[in-house]
Amino acid sequence: LERLTGLQDLKLSFNELNGPIPVQLGSLSKLTWLALQDNKLNGSIPSELGRMTGLQDLELSENELNEPIPVELGSLSKLNH
C-alpha cells in the first residue's frame, strides 16, 4: 500500500471490509480523497492518517470505529469533510 505514493483517490466504501484501518495509509501523502464509509472497520482511527497532508475528504462513517478522533487529524488543513 505504501508504494502507491502517487495515489490521489481511494474509494473503498460499501465493501464489507473488516478489521482495523491500515496505518500504512498514512504514507499516502498525495491522497486527496479517502472513502471507507459503510464497511465493518473497527478499532481506532490511526493517528498516522494525520500525515496525509493533501487530504481534502475523509469518509469513515457507518463503521465500528472507536473514539476519540486522533488530535493529529486536526493538522489536516485542507480537510473539508
Side-chain angles (χ1 to χ4, degrees), residues 22-43:
V23 296
Q24 295 87 347
L25 288 175
S27 66
L28 303 176
S29 60
K30 294 189 174 152
L31 204 65
T32 60
W33 192 346
L34 177 58
L36 297 173
Q37 79 269 23
D38 284 293
N39 282 294
K40 296 179 181 177
L41 299 170
N42 57 39

Side-chain angles (χ1 to χ4, degrees), residues 38-69:
D38 284 293
N39 282 294
K40 296 179 181 177
L41 299 170
N42 57 39
S44 299
I45 299 171
S47 60
E48 289 84 357
L49 297 187
R51 297 191 316 229
M52 296 190 301
T53 55
L55 198 62
Q56 297 174 17
D57 200 331
L58 177 61
E59 300 174 9
L60 299 175
S61 64
E62 303 302 322
N63 281 291
E64 300 167 8
L65 299 169
N66 301 330
E67 292 186 20
I69 296 172

